[in-house]
Amino acid sequence: MNKIRLRLAPSPTGFLHIGNLRTALFGYLLAKSQNGDFILRIEDTDEKREVEGAVESLIKILDWVDIKFDEGPHLGGPCAPYIQTERLAIYKDYAEQLLKSGGAYRCFCSAERLTTMREEQAAAKLAPRYDRHCRDLSQTESDQRAASGEAFVIRQKMPIEGEVIVYDELRGEIKFKAADLEDHVLIKSNGVPTYQFASVIDDHLMAISHVTRGEEWLPSYPKNFLLYQAFGWEVPKFIHLPLILNKGGGKLSKRQGDVFVEDYKSKGYLPEALVNFCVLLGWHPKTDQEIFTLDELIKSFSFEGMGISPAVFDVEKLDYLNGYWIRQKATKELVELIKPYLSNYLADAQGFKKTDDFLMNIAWLEQERLKKLSDITDRVAYLFADKIDYESDLLIWKNLTLKEAQANLIEIKEKLLLISENDWNKDFIEKNIIEWLKANNKKVGDYLWPLRVALSGQKNSAGPFEILTVLKKTESLQRLDSAINKK
Ligand code: GLU
């Protein structure tokens, strides 16, 4: 059996869309689970939509999620070049071939004629469609007009009647009415092919065995399919991945933000989580396991688990998976990951707050709770602050008065003063304080609430013993003093 070969064929129109990440992942997994090749090909024949730097950023972000290619513009390979605008001569030859065999024809219609045609179609409430005006020009006339320098496009000769039956690996047979298909453009008047043409030629020349792409490409499939037939080539196996909808059932749109992988990266989603999340958008594992690494997926991913019902993009699920993957990080690695989100604080930090030890403590303090790395910025602002600001009422637990809360803080402070810097760690302090509270029949909340607020100034935060550990003795006691003196 020939080697399985899949490709990702993005157009360089901007950052990688989350849907394209899913497409990339499914292609990669299908290839790698069967020891196949995964190829990157850049489909840049639509100059109008091209964005500068997009190819580099696509390559970078796919590398970040650890999807590795076997061939591509950055790697080279036996089918190079992998950028379509570097392959224009190839498409020209195949277009000539199709003109000769009668699978395509030259269309000399002017832009004005096409505009009038469309206006008339719109007025008659007809679908906008090329009226096949040039389809039956004689070969001689067509050749002569081309030779005399008249501008033309090359159009695919589509069947006029009947049905086109295509096969999708997930959906089986799909029928399209020939009457709904247009004689669309394969080669534009500047000689550059459209995506529809170039991608078929390249998939064939690059020996692509399977194509994974989003369901939105399904309407193009009959055109692609008929081109393979016109050339007498074997059609790769097509797998159109289900649509990705938002929770309300609508399309993911740029207006809602959150469609580019870069956006997720900058918010502090981990590549492990994005991969884990995206694979569940259209693949159903055999067991109820839902946590997967990329390596595990290469082993367990199979075509059988793929479905066609729309996948729901549930951000809460993504947060849950991201939290899981954050918790798997070694504290030291987490420190490196959160550093960029603390850079403003670190620029102003003084003393021990500049040290890696402080950052290790911060990571230890928040690791269990973080849903995304960027959450760290707000969560630990109070630890970096020189002075924390809060209403004195916040110190009050249930029906204590402010005076009573402050008196409790004075008692706690005296206990804390007795603990040496060497013993200043969560377990030691906690044991010491809790034993003292119990031995003296004191209510835990009456002491630990004011203590936690005095240290954090927050209604919700990490626990008081953890914060004491992070802030160390001197700063902790200073914060207690200001709470005690608060009016
Ligand atoms: N160039 C198309 C895109 O930008 C790829 C479609 C396909 O995979 O055939 O998504």
Side-chain angles (χ1 to χ4, degrees):
M1 203 175 96
N2 284 340
K3 212 173 183 192
I4 287 204
R5 284 170 64 83
L6 284 101
R7 49 62 169 185
L8 179 71
S11 300
T13 53
F15 290 133
L16 189 74
H17 190 286
I18 196 89
N20 281 345
L21 174 61
R22 197 258 321 244
T23 301
L25 182 63
F26 278 52
Y28 175 76
L29 291 174
L30 277 173
K32 293 299 148 189
S33 58
Q34 299 174 71
N35 282 321
D37 293 332
F38 193 47
I39 294 133
L40 178 65
R41 181 177 75 227
I42 301 297
E43 305 208 319
D44 59 344
T45 59
D46 189 351
E47 310 92 344
K48 281 195 268 7
R49 294 174 57 225
E50 181 151 0
V51 171
E52 221 190 290
V55 176
E56 292 68 27
S57 89
L58 288 172
I59 293 176
K60 224 165 124 190
I61 200 82
L62 286 161
D63 189 55
W64 178 72
V65 292
D66 218 16
I67 291 184
K68 301 268 187 275
F69 293 94
D70 299 290
E71 299 164 30
H74 53 317
L75 300 167
C79 306
Y82 292 90
I83 297 189
Q84 289 188 327
T85 49
E86 294 173 16
R87 301 170 62 80
L88 296 180
I90 301 177
Y91 310 123
K92 200 163 168 265
D93 284 351
Y94 282 97
E96 297 287 338
Q97 204 175 307
L98 214 52
L99 278 178
K100 284 207 185 83
S101 68
Y105 61 92
R106 293 190 191 94
C107 163
F108 298 93
C109 291
S110 64
E112 295 76 48
R113 178 173 184 278
L114 293 177
T115 311
T116 317
M117 177 195 80
R118 270 188 222 108
E119 282 165 4
E120 284 168 6
Q121 285 168 341
K125 299 215 174 354
L126 293 170
R129 189 159 303 155
Y130 178 59
D131 60 3
R132 297 179 162 141
H133 182 75
C134 295
R135 183 167 163 132
D136 297 319
L137 291 182
S138 72
Q139 196 62 47
T140 329
E141 180 181 349
S142 171
D143 289 348
Q144 273 170 1
R145 287 172 72 174
S148 73
E150 199 175 330
F152 63 86
V153 300
I154 298 179
R155 292 185 181 271
Q156 187 174 357
K157 213 178 237 181
M158 302 293 271
I160 292 181
E161 286 168 350
E163 280 176 335
V164 179
I165 302 177
V166 296
Y167 192 84
D168 174 84
E169 297 301 309
L170 297 177
R171 295 164 180 79
E173 268 185 17
I174 310 174
K175 294 179 179 158
F176 289 85
K177 276 204 213 103
D180 292 335
L181 302 172
E182 181 178 32
D183 283 0
H184 65 109
V185 175
L186 301 177
I187 304 280
K188 294 177 267 186
S189 56
N190 59 2
V192 176
T194 56
Y195 147 75
Q196 304 293 352
F197 189 62
S199 82
V200 166
I201 306 296
D202 286 344
D203 282 345
H204 173 71
L205 294 179
M206 295 181 180
I208 299 301
S209 62
H210 295 65
V211 172
T212 49
R213 60 182 187 181
E215 189 176 316
E216 64 278 14
W217 293 100
L218 209 48
S220 303
Y221 187 20
K223 303 178 204 170
N224 309 145
F225 183 86
L226 290 168
L227 275 175
Y228 283 102
Q229 284 197 331
F231 281 111
W233 293 337
E234 194 184 332
V235 187
K237 293 191 181 349
F238 274 78
I239 302 156
H240 289 91
L241 304 173
L243 295 175
I244 305 177
L245 303 179
N246 63 33
K247 260 182 135 177
K251 260 180 71 178
L252 291 185
S253 82
K254 285 185 203 159
R255 256 165 293 127
Q256 290 158 312
D258 305 343
V259 292
F260 298 120
V261 182
E262 262 86 356
D263 291 340
Y264 289 94
K265 182 180 180 208
S266 54
K267 281 188 211 155
Y269 287 96
L270 300 179
E272 294 90 332
L274 285 169
V275 161
N276 198 158
F277 177 70
C278 280
V279 81
L280 300 174
L281 298 173
W283 177 69
H284 310 279
K286 283 199 200 91
T287 63
D288 52 14
Q289 179 180 354
E290 56 177 0
I291 300 288
F292 293 93
T293 62
L294 198 53
D295 283 343
E296 281 169 341
L297 285 171
I298 292 173
K299 293 196 192 91
S300 25
F301 189 82
S302 76
F303 183 75
E304 286 71 48
M306 290 170 63
I308 58 168
S309 47
V312 178
F313 193 97
D314 179 356
V315 181
E316 279 163 31
K317 176 83 182 246
L318 175 58
D319 283 351
Y320 156 77
L321 291 170
N322 205 47
Y324 173 84
W325 285 107
I326 289 177
R327 293 195 294 281
Q328 305 315 302
K329 294 283 173 197
T331 319
K332 231 174 150 172
E333 201 184 337
L334 186 57
V335 166
E336 293 311 313
L337 290 167
I338 58 177
K339 261 186 192 167
Y341 300 94
L342 302 173
S343 57
N344 284 348
Y345 303 146
L346 288 170
D348 297 337
Q350 304 287 331
F352 75 99
K353 294 190 182 175
K354 278 219 294 252
T355 63
D356 278 353
D357 182 46
F358 184 60
L359 291 177
M360 285 288 279
N361 275 334
I362 284 189
W364 161 78
L365 187 73
E366 292 295 337
Q367 184 157 19
E368 288 299 309
R369 274 172 285 256
L370 279 187
K371 291 267 194 300
K372 44 189 189 299
L373 300 172
S374 58
D375 293 345
I376 196 82
T377 318
D378 288 345
R379 294 190 67 94
V380 303
Y382 73 92
L383 293 171
F384 280 96
D386 290 333
K387 222 175 144 301
I388 50 173
D389 195 25
Y390 57 96
E391 296 293 325
S392 52
D393 281 357
L394 197 56
L395 291 165
I396 297 170
W397 174 249
K398 297 205 171 149
N399 40 18
L400 288 184
T401 63
L402 177 61
K403 278 258 147 334
E404 286 165 338
Q406 288 172 322
N408 293 353
L409 285 176
I410 293 172
E411 280 184 71
I412 289 227
K413 187 187 153 193
E414 276 161 14
K415 289 300 298 172
L416 290 173
L417 273 169
L418 301 175
I419 299 174
S420 75
E421 307 241 8
N422 277 344
D423 291 330
W424 197 266
N425 63 66
K426 176 186 176 276
D427 291 346
F428 189 91
I429 308 173
E430 181 166 8
K431 190 164 173 287
N432 196 285
I433 298 288
I434 296 288
E435 276 174 9
W436 167 73
L437 290 173
K438 283 197 182 141
N440 293 285
N441 257 335
K442 294 177 185 295
K443 284 194 197 140
V444 173
D446 289 353
Y447 285 79
L448 296 194
W449 175 272
L451 173 62
R452 199 189 54 72
V453 171
L455 295 166
S456 69
Q458 312 281 313
K459 201 163 170 200
N460 302 302
S461 72
F465 302 114
E466 285 89 345
I467 307 178
L468 285 167
T469 311
V470 177
L471 287 178
K472 301 195 183 288
K473 190 169 176 180
T474 314
E475 181 152 346
S476 297
L477 293 177
Q478 279 166 0
R479 290 190 181 198
L480 284 192
D481 279 338
S482 20
I484 291 165
N485 296 321
K486 241 180 164 25
K487 294 279 174 289

